Amino acid sequence: VLALSACAMAEPSSPGSPSATAPIIAPRAALDGKSADTSVIPDVAERLQPSVVKVITDSGNGSGVVYTSDGLILTNAHVVSETETLQVAFADGQRVKGTIQAVDEVTDLALVKADRRGLPPARFQPELPVVGSLSIVIGSPLGFENSVTAGIISGLHREISGSASKGGSLVDLIQTDAPISPGNSGGAVVDGA
Protein backbone atom coordinates (compact mmCIF):
# COMPACT_ATOMS: atom_id res chain seq x y z
CA VAL A 1 0.00 0.00 0.00
CA LEU A 2 1.38 3.41 -0.86
CA ALA A 3 0.50 6.77 0.58
CA LEU A 4 2.01 10.16 -0.01
CA SER A 5 3.82 11.65 2.92
CA ALA A 6 3.52 15.27 3.94
CA CYS A 7 5.03 17.36 6.65
CA ALA A 8 2.35 19.61 8.09
CA MET A 9 4.64 21.54 10.40
CA ALA A 10 7.40 24.09 9.84
CA GLU A 11 9.78 22.06 12.00
CA PRO A 12 10.59 18.36 11.45
CA SER A 13 7.88 16.21 13.00
CA SER A 14 8.66 14.26 16.12
CA PRO A 15 8.08 10.54 16.43
CA GLY A 16 4.38 9.77 16.82
CA SER A 17 3.22 13.15 15.46
CA PRO A 18 0.61 13.05 12.68
CA SER A 19 1.98 13.15 9.15
CA ALA A 20 -0.34 14.10 6.31
CA THR A 21 -0.82 11.56 3.57
CA ALA A 22 -2.91 11.07 0.48
CA PRO A 23 -3.19 7.85 -1.57
CA ILE A 24 -1.56 4.74 -0.13
CA ILE A 25 1.20 2.35 -1.34
CA ALA A 26 1.57 -0.60 0.98
CA PRO A 27 2.17 -4.24 0.26
CA ARG A 28 -0.49 -6.84 0.82
CA ALA A 29 1.70 -8.71 3.32
CA ALA A 30 1.42 -5.90 5.84
CA LEU A 31 -2.34 -5.73 5.53
CA ASP A 32 -2.88 -8.93 7.49
CA GLY A 33 -2.57 -7.02 10.76
CA LYS A 34 0.83 -8.42 11.60
CA SER A 35 3.88 -6.23 11.85
CA ALA A 36 6.22 -6.82 8.92
CA ASP A 37 9.81 -7.94 9.43
CA THR A 38 12.09 -4.89 9.23
CA SER A 39 14.69 -6.92 7.32
CA VAL A 40 12.60 -6.24 4.18
CA ILE A 41 13.31 -2.49 4.32
CA PRO A 42 16.49 -2.50 2.16
CA ASP A 43 14.80 -4.59 -0.56
CA VAL A 44 11.62 -2.48 -0.55
CA ALA A 45 13.66 0.74 -0.69
CA GLU A 46 15.80 -0.52 -3.57
CA ARG A 47 12.74 -1.59 -5.57
CA LEU A 48 10.75 1.61 -4.95
CA GLN A 49 13.44 4.32 -5.13
CA PRO A 50 13.25 4.57 -8.98
CA SER A 51 9.54 5.45 -8.57
CA VAL A 52 10.17 8.27 -6.05
CA VAL A 53 11.28 11.68 -7.31
CA LYS A 54 12.40 15.03 -5.96
CA VAL A 55 10.20 17.96 -7.01
CA ILE A 56 12.17 21.21 -7.20
CA THR A 57 10.29 24.53 -7.19
CA ASP A 58 11.07 28.25 -6.93
CA SER A 59 10.53 28.13 -3.18
CA GLY A 60 12.14 24.81 -2.24
CA ASN A 61 11.63 21.13 -2.82
CA GLY A 62 9.35 18.26 -2.06
CA SER A 63 8.91 14.70 -3.24
CA GLY A 64 6.66 12.85 -5.64
CA VAL A 65 5.75 9.36 -6.81
CA VAL A 66 5.64 8.16 -10.42
CA TYR A 67 1.96 7.62 -11.22
CA THR A 68 2.19 6.62 -14.91
CA SER A 69 5.06 5.50 -17.14
CA ASP A 70 4.51 8.44 -19.50
CA GLY A 71 5.59 11.02 -16.91
CA LEU A 72 2.69 11.79 -14.57
CA ILE A 73 3.96 12.40 -11.04
CA LEU A 74 1.67 12.48 -7.99
CA THR A 75 2.68 14.93 -5.25
CA ASN A 76 1.10 17.18 -2.64
CA ALA A 77 -0.54 20.43 -3.78
CA HIS A 78 1.38 22.44 -1.18
CA VAL A 79 4.65 21.27 -2.79
CA VAL A 80 3.86 22.96 -6.12
CA SER A 81 1.70 25.88 -5.00
CA GLU A 82 3.00 29.34 -5.76
CA THR A 83 5.68 28.22 -8.21
CA GLU A 84 6.39 29.27 -11.76
CA THR A 85 9.16 26.84 -12.62
CA LEU A 86 9.39 23.19 -11.77
CA GLN A 87 11.97 20.44 -12.17
CA VAL A 88 11.71 16.74 -11.43
CA ALA A 89 14.86 14.89 -10.31
CA PHE A 90 15.01 11.10 -10.64
CA ALA A 91 16.96 8.49 -8.66
CA ASP A 92 19.28 7.97 -11.66
CA GLY A 93 20.38 11.62 -11.44
CA GLN A 94 18.45 12.91 -14.45
CA ARG A 95 16.53 16.19 -14.05
CA VAL A 96 13.77 17.27 -16.41
CA LYS A 97 11.25 20.08 -16.71
CA GLY A 98 7.88 19.51 -15.10
CA THR A 99 4.53 21.22 -15.62
CA ILE A 100 1.60 21.28 -13.22
CA GLN A 101 -1.37 19.43 -14.72
CA ALA A 102 -3.90 19.54 -11.88
CA VAL A 103 -4.13 20.71 -8.27
CA ASP A 104 -6.73 19.90 -5.61
CA GLU A 105 -6.20 22.03 -2.51
CA VAL A 106 -8.91 20.20 -0.54
CA THR A 107 -7.15 16.82 -0.74
CA ASP A 108 -3.69 18.43 -1.01
CA LEU A 109 -2.94 16.48 -4.19
CA ALA A 110 -1.32 17.60 -7.44
CA LEU A 111 -0.35 15.98 -10.73
CA VAL A 112 2.87 17.08 -12.42
CA LYS A 113 3.86 16.05 -15.95
CA ALA A 114 7.58 15.31 -16.21
CA ASP A 115 9.25 15.55 -19.60
CA ARG A 116 10.33 11.89 -19.49
CA ARG A 117 8.88 8.54 -20.60
CA GLY A 118 9.43 4.89 -19.67
CA LEU A 119 9.15 5.52 -15.94
CA PRO A 120 8.42 2.79 -13.36
CA PRO A 121 5.02 3.64 -11.85
CA ALA A 122 4.37 2.78 -8.22
CA ARG A 123 1.53 0.40 -7.37
CA PHE A 124 -1.18 2.16 -5.38
CA GLN A 125 -3.61 0.20 -3.26
CA PRO A 126 -7.04 1.49 -2.19
CA GLU A 127 -7.19 -0.32 1.18
CA LEU A 128 -5.87 1.44 4.25
CA PRO A 129 -2.94 -0.08 6.11
CA VAL A 130 -3.42 -1.80 9.45
CA VAL A 131 -2.49 0.15 12.59
CA GLY A 132 0.77 -1.28 13.90
CA SER A 133 2.04 -2.48 10.51
CA LEU A 134 5.42 -1.48 9.09
CA SER A 135 5.65 1.88 7.32
CA ILE A 136 8.62 2.83 5.14
CA VAL A 137 8.96 6.45 4.03
CA ILE A 138 10.99 7.41 0.95
CA GLY A 139 11.45 11.00 -0.17
CA SER A 140 13.69 14.06 -0.13
CA PRO A 141 13.62 15.43 3.42
CA LEU A 142 15.59 18.67 3.75
CA GLY A 143 16.68 18.19 0.11
CA PHE A 144 18.36 14.80 0.60
CA GLU A 145 17.13 12.66 -2.30
CA ASN A 146 15.87 9.08 -1.77
CA SER A 147 16.17 9.09 2.00
CA VAL A 148 14.55 6.13 3.74
CA THR A 149 13.04 6.06 7.24
CA ALA A 150 10.83 3.45 8.88
CA GLY A 151 8.33 3.05 11.68
CA ILE A 152 4.82 1.78 12.11
CA ILE A 153 1.36 2.98 11.16
CA SER A 154 0.35 4.75 14.37
CA GLY A 155 -3.22 5.67 13.51
CA LEU A 156 -5.82 6.22 10.79
CA HIS A 157 -8.38 8.96 10.04
CA ARG A 158 -6.42 11.66 11.87
CA GLU A 159 -7.17 15.38 11.50
CA ILE A 160 -4.96 18.42 11.94
CA SER A 161 -7.19 21.48 12.25
CA GLY A 162 -6.05 24.63 10.50
CA SER A 163 -2.43 23.61 10.06
CA ALA A 164 -2.26 23.47 6.27
CA SER A 165 -0.29 26.22 4.54
CA LYS A 166 -3.53 27.96 3.49
CA GLY A 167 -5.11 27.58 6.92
CA GLY A 168 -7.47 24.72 6.01
CA SER A 169 -7.74 21.52 7.99
CA LEU A 170 -5.95 18.37 6.92
CA VAL A 171 -8.36 15.47 7.30
CA ASP A 172 -8.48 11.68 7.05
CA LEU A 173 -4.73 11.33 7.50
CA ILE A 174 -2.56 8.32 8.12
CA GLN A 175 -0.30 8.79 11.14
CA THR A 176 3.14 7.19 11.28
CA ASP A 177 6.05 7.46 13.66
CA ALA A 178 8.53 7.13 10.78
CA PRO A 179 10.48 10.41 10.72
CA ILE A 180 9.04 12.81 8.14
CA SER A 181 10.59 16.24 7.59
CA PRO A 182 10.02 19.19 5.24
CA GLY A 183 10.83 17.91 1.76
CA ASN A 184 9.23 14.49 2.35
CA SER A 185 5.85 15.92 1.29
CA GLY A 186 4.57 14.03 -1.75
CA GLY A 187 6.93 11.10 -1.21
CA ALA A 188 6.01 7.48 -0.63
CA VAL A 189 4.75 5.80 2.51
CA VAL A 190 4.88 2.07 1.83
CA ASP A 191 4.43 -1.22 3.62
CA GLY A 192 6.78 -4.18 3.73
CA ALA A 193 5.64 -5.58 0.37
Short mmCIF file of all heavy atoms in Angstrom, two decimals, residues 79-107:
data_model
loop_
_atom_site.label_atom_id
_atom_site.label_comp_id
_atom_site.label_asym_id
_atom_site.label_seq_id
_atom_site.Cartn_x
_atom_site.Cartn_y
_atom_site.Cartn_z
N VAL A 79 3.29 21.33 -2.26
CA VAL A 79 4.65 21.27 -2.79
C VAL A 79 4.79 22.17 -4.01
O VAL A 79 5.81 22.85 -4.19
CB VAL A 79 5.04 19.82 -3.15
CG1 VAL A 79 6.35 19.77 -3.94
CG2 VAL A 79 5.15 18.97 -1.89
N VAL A 80 3.76 22.22 -4.85
CA VAL A 80 3.86 22.96 -6.12
C VAL A 80 3.09 24.28 -6.12
O VAL A 80 3.11 24.99 -7.13
CB VAL A 80 3.38 22.09 -7.30
CG1 VAL A 80 4.27 20.86 -7.45
CG2 VAL A 80 1.93 21.67 -7.16
N SER A 81 2.44 24.62 -5.01
CA SER A 81 1.70 25.88 -5.00
C SER A 81 2.67 27.05 -5.05
O SER A 81 3.80 26.97 -4.55
CB SER A 81 0.81 25.96 -3.76
OG SER A 81 1.60 26.00 -2.60
N GLU A 82 2.24 28.09 -5.67
CA GLU A 82 3.00 29.34 -5.76
C GLU A 82 4.36 29.17 -6.42
O GLU A 82 5.36 29.75 -5.99
CB GLU A 82 3.15 29.96 -4.37
CG GLU A 82 1.82 30.23 -3.69
CD GLU A 82 1.96 30.74 -2.27
OE1 GLU A 82 3.03 31.27 -1.92
OE2 GLU A 82 0.97 30.60 -1.52
N THR A 83 4.44 28.36 -7.47
CA THR A 83 5.68 28.22 -8.21
C THR A 83 5.45 28.50 -9.68
O THR A 83 4.36 28.26 -10.19
CB THR A 83 6.31 26.82 -8.02
OG1 THR A 83 7.63 26.83 -8.54
CG2 THR A 83 5.49 25.74 -8.70
N GLU A 84 6.47 29.03 -10.32
CA GLU A 84 6.39 29.27 -11.76
C GLU A 84 7.23 28.29 -12.55
O GLU A 84 6.93 27.98 -13.68
CB GLU A 84 6.80 30.70 -12.06
CG GLU A 84 5.80 31.72 -11.52
CD GLU A 84 6.14 33.14 -11.95
OE1 GLU A 84 6.84 33.31 -12.95
OE2 GLU A 84 5.68 34.06 -11.26
N THR A 85 8.31 27.82 -11.95
CA THR A 85 9.16 26.84 -12.62
C THR A 85 9.25 25.59 -11.77
O THR A 85 9.16 25.64 -10.55
CB THR A 85 10.58 27.39 -12.87
OG1 THR A 85 11.19 27.70 -11.62
CG2 THR A 85 10.54 28.63 -13.75
N LEU A 86 9.43 24.48 -12.44
CA LEU A 86 9.39 23.19 -11.77
C LEU A 86 10.34 22.23 -12.46
O LEU A 86 10.39 22.16 -13.69
CB LEU A 86 7.96 22.66 -11.87
CG LEU A 86 7.57 21.41 -11.16
CD1 LEU A 86 7.64 21.58 -9.65
CD2 LEU A 86 6.15 21.03 -11.54
N GLN A 87 11.11 21.50 -11.66
CA GLN A 87 11.97 20.44 -12.17
C GLN A 87 11.68 19.17 -11.40
O GLN A 87 11.30 19.21 -10.22
CB GLN A 87 13.45 20.77 -12.01
CG GLN A 87 14.01 21.68 -13.05
CD GLN A 87 15.55 21.70 -12.95
OE1 GLN A 87 16.11 21.63 -11.86
NE2 GLN A 87 16.19 21.78 -14.08
N VAL A 88 11.87 18.04 -12.07
CA VAL A 88 11.71 16.74 -11.43
C VAL A 88 13.05 16.02 -11.53
O VAL A 88 13.60 15.87 -12.61
CB VAL A 88 10.59 15.92 -12.11
CG1 VAL A 88 10.46 14.55 -11.45
CG2 VAL A 88 9.27 16.67 -12.07
N ALA A 89 13.58 15.62 -10.36
CA ALA A 89 14.86 14.89 -10.31
C ALA A 89 14.59 13.43 -10.00
O ALA A 89 13.83 13.10 -9.08
CB ALA A 89 15.76 15.50 -9.24
N PHE A 90 15.22 12.55 -10.76
CA PHE A 90 15.01 11.10 -10.64
C PHE A 90 16.17 10.44 -9.91
O PHE A 90 17.26 11.00 -9.82
CB PHE A 90 14.82 10.49 -12.03
CG PHE A 90 13.58 10.98 -12.71
CD1 PHE A 90 13.62 12.13 -13.49
CD2 PHE A 90 12.37 10.33 -12.56
CE1 PHE A 90 12.48 12.61 -14.11
CE2 PHE A 90 11.23 10.80 -13.18
CZ PHE A 90 11.28 11.94 -13.95
N ALA A 91 15.95 9.23 -9.42
CA ALA A 91 16.96 8.49 -8.66
C ALA A 91 18.22 8.23 -9.47
O ALA A 91 19.30 8.10 -8.92
CB ALA A 91 16.38 7.17 -8.16
N ASP A 92 18.11 8.20 -10.81
CA ASP A 92 19.28 7.97 -11.66
C ASP A 92 20.08 9.24 -11.92
O ASP A 92 21.04 9.24 -12.67
CB ASP A 92 18.89 7.31 -12.98
CG ASP A 92 17.98 8.17 -13.85
OD1 ASP A 92 17.72 9.35 -13.51
OD2 ASP A 92 17.51 7.66 -14.89
N GLY A 93 19.66 10.36 -11.30
CA GLY A 93 20.38 11.62 -11.44
C GLY A 93 19.85 12.56 -12.51
O GLY A 93 20.23 13.73 -12.55
N GLN A 94 18.99 12.07 -13.39
CA GLN A 94 18.45 12.91 -14.45
C GLN A 94 17.44 13.91 -13.88
O GLN A 94 16.63 13.57 -13.02
CB GLN A 94 17.79 12.06 -15.54
CG GLN A 94 17.33 12.89 -16.73
CD GLN A 94 16.76 12.03 -17.86
OE1 GLN A 94 16.66 10.82 -17.76
NE2 GLN A 94 16.38 12.69 -18.94
N ARG A 95 17.50 15.15 -14.40
CA ARG A 95 16.53 16.19 -14.05
C ARG A 95 15.85 16.66 -15.32
O ARG A 95 16.51 16.88 -16.34
CB ARG A 95 17.21 17.39 -13.41
CG ARG A 95 17.64 17.16 -12.01
CD ARG A 95 18.16 18.43 -11.40
NE ARG A 95 18.56 18.17 -10.03
CZ ARG A 95 18.77 19.09 -9.13
NH1 ARG A 95 18.65 20.36 -9.46
NH2 ARG A 95 19.12 18.77 -7.91
N VAL A 96 14.52 16.82 -15.25
CA VAL A 96 13.77 17.27 -16.41
C VAL A 96 12.77 18.35 -15.98
O VAL A 96 12.45 18.47 -14.80
CB VAL A 96 13.01 16.11 -17.10
CG1 VAL A 96 13.97 15.04 -17.59
CG2 VAL A 96 11.97 15.50 -16.18
N LYS A 97 12.28 19.08 -16.97
CA LYS A 97 11.25 20.08 -16.71
C LYS A 97 9.94 19.38 -16.35
O LYS A 97 9.62 18.32 -16.88
CB LYS A 97 11.06 20.94 -17.96
CG LYS A 97 10.00 22.00 -17.79
CD LYS A 97 9.81 22.80 -19.07
CE LYS A 97 8.69 23.80 -18.85
NZ LYS A 97 8.38 24.53 -20.06
N GLY A 98 9.20 20.01 -15.46
CA GLY A 98 7.88 19.51 -15.10
C GLY A 98 6.85 20.62 -15.22
O GLY A 98 7.18 21.79 -15.05
N THR A 99 5.63 20.25 -15.55
CA THR A 99 4.53 21.22 -15.62
C THR A 99 3.37 20.72 -14.77
O THR A 99 3.07 19.51 -14.75
CB THR A 99 4.05 21.43 -17.07
OG1 THR A 99 3.71 20.17 -17.64
CG2 THR A 99 5.12 22.09 -17.92
N ILE A 100 2.74 21.63 -14.08
CA ILE A 100 1.60 21.28 -13.22
C ILE A 100 0.39 21.00 -14.11
O ILE A 100 0.01 21.84 -14.93
CB ILE A 100 1.30 22.41 -12.23
CG1 ILE A 100 2.52 22.65 -11.34
CG2 ILE A 100 0.07 22.08 -11.39
CD1 ILE A 100 2.44 23.92 -10.51
N GLN A 101 -0.22 19.83 -13.94
CA GLN A 101 -1.37 19.43 -14.72
C GLN A 101 -2.69 19.65 -13.98
O GLN A 101 -3.69 20.01 -14.58
CB GLN A 101 -1.27 17.95 -15.12
CG GLN A 101 -0.04 17.63 -15.94
CD GLN A 101 -0.09 18.29 -17.29
OE1 GLN A 101 -0.97 18.02 -18.10
NE2 GLN A 101 0.86 19.19 -17.55
N ALA A 102 -2.69 19.41 -12.68
CA ALA A 102 -3.90 19.54 -11.88
C ALA A 102 -3.52 19.71 -10.42
O ALA A 102 -2.52 19.16 -9.96
CB ALA A 102 -4.78 18.30 -12.05
N VAL A 103 -4.35 20.48 -9.70
CA VAL A 103 -4.13 20.71 -8.27
C VAL A 103 -5.49 20.65 -7.58
O VAL A 103 -6.46 21.22 -8.04
CB VAL A 103 -3.48 22.10 -8.02
CG1 VAL A 103 -3.38 22.39 -6.54
CG2 VAL A 103 -2.12 22.18 -8.68
N ASP A 104 -5.54 19.94 -6.45
CA ASP A 104 -6.73 19.90 -5.61
C ASP A 104 -6.31 20.28 -4.20
O ASP A 104 -5.72 19.47 -3.48
CB ASP A 104 -7.36 18.51 -5.63
CG ASP A 104 -8.66 18.44 -4.82
OD1 ASP A 104 -9.00 19.43 -4.13
OD2 ASP A 104 -9.32 17.40 -4.88
N GLU A 105 -6.60 21.52 -3.83
CA GLU A 105 -6.20 22.03 -2.51
C GLU A 105 -6.92 21.31 -1.37
O GLU A 105 -6.36 21.16 -0.28
CB GLU A 105 -6.48 23.54 -2.42
CG GLU A 105 -5.71 24.38 -3.43
CD GLU A 105 -4.23 24.50 -3.13
OE1 GLU A 105 -3.82 24.19 -1.99
OE2 GLU A 105 -3.48 24.91 -4.04
N VAL A 106 -8.14 20.85 -1.60
CA VAL A 106 -8.91 20.20 -0.54
C VAL A 106 -8.25 18.90 -0.11
O VAL A 106 -8.11 18.62 1.09
CB VAL A 106 -10.37 19.96 -0.98
CG1 VAL A 106 -11.13 19.14 0.07
CG2 VAL A 106 -11.07 21.28 -1.25
N THR A 107 -7.81 18.08 -1.07
CA THR A 107 -7.15 16.82 -0.74
C THR A 107 -5.64 16.96 -0.68
O THR A 107 -4.94 15.99 -0.38
CB THR A 107 -7.51 15.72 -1.76
OG1 THR A 107 -7.09 16.15 -3.06
CG2 THR A 107 -9.00 15.43 -1.74
#
